[in-house]
Amino acid sequence: MSLSQIAYILAALTAGGGTMGYVRTGSVPSIAAGGTVGALYALGGYRIQNKQPYGVELALLASVVLAGSSIPRALRTQKPLPIGLSLLATFGLYNFGMAYRNNVNVR
């Protein structure tokens, strides 16, 4: 699976999750955070796909933001949703972190 496909999948999952959080509970922070992180993943995927600079960095930034908000909450609450978000963030951190480390499509 290519880095751009991973970024697009994570974009759809985070944006879709934020939308579902809003629909189910009326949570504006859910749709704002999901939309923002999803947009970062989507933009990163687009830039990676078109071999433009900073695509991997944008997707890595989205993973850092997602991890920073979900991992502490997952550890504190032990609820399934934050744990799932933490797993998505960790998956993104690993893939985009390794790509950044190995200079894959970086600048």
Side-chain angles (χ1 to χ4, degrees):
M1 185 176 296
S2 72
L3 287 174
S4 61
Q5 289 175 323
I6 292 170
Y8 288 139
I9 290 168
L10 291 174
L13 288 172
T14 54
T19 303
M20 287 303 298
Y22 177 75
V23 168
R24 289 180 59 208
T25 65
S27 172
V28 175
S30 288
I31 196 166
T36 302
V37 171
L40 284 172
Y41 275 128
L43 181 59
Y46 176 80
R47 294 184 74 83
I48 291 167
Q49 183 178 11
N50 291 309
K51 308 227 185 309
Q52 296 176 345
Y54 301 111
V56 171
E57 290 88 342
L58 281 169
L60 185 57
L61 173 65
S63 296
V64 168
V65 169
L66 184 58
S69 67
S70 64
I71 291 175
R73 198 171 21 156
L75 294 173
R76 187 175 61 251
T77 65
Q78 299 289 310
K79 291 186 178 178
L81 182 63
I83 291 171
L85 289 173
S86 298
L87 291 174
L88 286 178
T90 303
F91 180 73
L93 285 170
Y94 176 77
N95 282 288
F96 299 117
M98 291 301 289
Y100 182 80
R101 179 179 175 210
N102 297 326
N103 293 319
V104 173
N105 201 16
V106 177
R107 278 180 245 126

